Amino acid sequence: MTETHNVIIDTDPGQDDAIAILLALASPEINVLGITAVAGNVPLGLTQNNIRKVCELAGRTNTKVFVGSDRPMKRSLITAEYVHGETGLNGAPLPEPTMPVQDQHAVDFIIETIQRLPEKSVTLCTLGPLTNLGNVLEKAPELAPRIKEVVMMGGGLFEGGNVTPAAEFNIFVDPDAAQLVFKAGIPLVVMPLDVTHKALTTKARTEAIRSLGTQVGKVSADWLNFFERFDEDKYGTDGGPLHDPNVIAYLLNPGLYSGRHINVEIETQCELTMGMTVADYWGVTNRAKNAIWVTDVDADGLFDLLLERLAYFR
Ligand code: RIB
Ligand code: CA
């Protein structure tokens, strides 16, 4: 019997976020309770708009979309148009969405959902800065034990950082929120650059998606072709790292991944290393282990799964 996951996706689309959302919407094992927008790759007005564009592309206009935090908890917002383009979904223009956003604020939706549903039944999949979840924990810290698990894309150790030498973008944008999350005692599964850099959108993989011959296949391949150019130039690779879909793929098939349970702390004081995930991979401290730090993926298995599920959209 395949496990069903009750999931809130917190996201800042972003082409890779968009493909992660499509993967979730195509998978019957994932019950998407709601999708919450956060400022990150592009400002909040665009990320909430982009979530709705993706839901309409997927034909899932009944998905509940909530607008969240428009800036980090303490620091100024930093965005990444240089990677994702000015809309955040450059590469494949989509019509302006007509489906509504919900009136309830994303933070209040997350709080209300965790309070309402049985304890340890809600999984949070975070694909962007952790601002919304940080605000949840600041507003209602007593809810932390009720959360089943947070599966996040963020951080880096062996791969260093991607926005500074020390920090990965999602953590760097809101290190204060990240610190609240990593100290909350919630079971964490972290997909850092160490694993996402092993999931490259090679030409063969991107063209296999395009060969689906559907609108979703074409749009997804066009998004990847735009999104990957920055990292291809930077790393000199065939394709760029596909970050966020790893979060959803982990829920669908955890056997694709391997990692270890370690201590991870967040730098929030020193500007030089701000947002660094200080991951005690070799156990040199006696700090409490608080996260599964994923370092390896069966990349062919990931893309086979992605292709199989994207084919769901006709
Ligand atoms: O560093 C990669 C992360 O930052 C991904 O989630 C990407 O979408 C951006 O948000
Ligand atoms: Ca993202």
Side-chain angles (χ1 to χ4, degrees):
M1 172 67 182
T2 309
E3 184 181 2
T4 298
H5 302 274
N6 296 311
V7 165
I8 295 173
I9 300 174
D10 191 66
T11 176
D12 65 332
Q15 293 87 349
D16 59 320
D17 302 68
I19 292 180
I21 294 168
L22 288 172
L23 178 58
L25 295 177
S27 299
E29 307 93 321
I30 306 279
N31 173 24
V32 178
L33 300 170
I35 304 181
T36 52
V38 67
N41 285 321
V42 288
L44 181 66
L46 286 170
T47 58
Q48 62 88 1
N49 209 41
N50 290 341
I51 294 169
R52 293 188 287 149
K53 285 182 176 180
V54 177
C55 290
E56 292 189 351
L57 172 68
R60 295 287 294 275
T61 54
N62 59 337
T63 306
K64 292 191 179 341
V65 178
F66 300 83
V67 180
S69 311
D70 66 355
R71 74 199 66 182
M73 295 186 82
K74 293 180 181 174
R75 297 173 69 84
S76 304
L77 178 62
I78 291 168
T79 53
E81 289 86 349
Y82 58 92
V83 176
H84 299 275
E86 74 282 356
T87 72
L89 286 182
N90 286 40
L94 290 175
E96 282 307 300
T98 57
M99 65 180 282
V101 292
Q102 302 299 306
D103 293 336
Q104 189 177 31
H105 190 280
V107 170
D108 295 329
F109 164 70
I110 296 170
I111 290 171
E112 178 265 329
T113 302
I114 294 166
Q115 286 171 333
R116 176 171 57 86
L117 293 184
E119 192 171 38
K120 301 283 187 191
S121 67
V122 177
T123 297
L124 286 161
C125 292
T126 65
L127 312 180
L130 291 163
T131 312
N132 285 337
L133 185 48
N135 281 311
V136 166
L137 294 171
E138 185 170 75
K139 196 169 179 181
E142 72 284 358
L143 291 182
R146 294 185 61 84
I147 298 171
K148 178 179 181 183
E149 172 171 74
V150 175
V151 186
M152 72 172 73
M153 190 280 141
L157 173 64
F158 302 112
E159 287 295 309
N162 59 2
V163 66
T164 74
E168 176 278 327
F169 179 81
N170 287 342
I171 308 298
F172 179 74
V173 169
D174 199 338
D176 302 293
Q179 186 174 60
L180 283 171
V181 174
F182 277 81
K183 287 189 176 302
I186 305 165
L188 304 179
V189 177
V190 183
M191 293 284 166
L193 299 176
D194 304 346
V195 68
T196 67
H197 281 197
K198 296 174 181 174
L200 296 182
T201 61
T202 61
K203 292 289 173 289
R205 288 166 175 166
T206 301
E207 290 313 304
I209 291 171
R210 187 182 305 282
S211 301
L212 286 171
T214 60
Q215 190 195 8
V216 164
K218 179 183 185 314
V219 168
S220 297
D222 287 345
W223 277 337
L224 291 178
N225 285 153
F226 181 90
F227 161 77
E228 69 194 4
R229 85 214 178 287
F230 180 82
D231 284 328
E232 280 187 319
D233 292 348
K234 178 176 172 182
Y235 298 110
T237 49
D238 172 14
L242 186 61
H243 303 290
D244 294 340
N246 288 285
V247 169
I248 304 302
Y250 173 82
L251 291 182
L252 296 173
N253 184 357
L256 292 173
Y257 297 92
S258 62
R260 69 170 64 169
H261 195 210
I262 65 170
N263 172 267
V264 181
E265 308 265 339
I266 309 297
E267 174 65 76
T268 60
Q269 303 303 309
C270 169
E271 282 303 327
L272 178 64
T273 52
M274 183 60 66
M276 180 177 182
T277 45
V278 182
D280 185 8
Y281 190 81
W282 303 110
V284 298
T285 74
N286 57 7
R287 293 196 284 253
K289 296 175 180 177
N290 60 344
I292 293 174
W293 187 264
V294 180
T295 52
D296 289 294
V297 58
D298 167 2
D300 287 335
L302 165 66
F303 280 89
D304 288 348
L305 174 64
L306 186 55
L307 200 61
E308 171 203 301
R309 295 300 166 100
L310 290 181
Y312 162 86
F313 299 108
R314 287 281 163 243

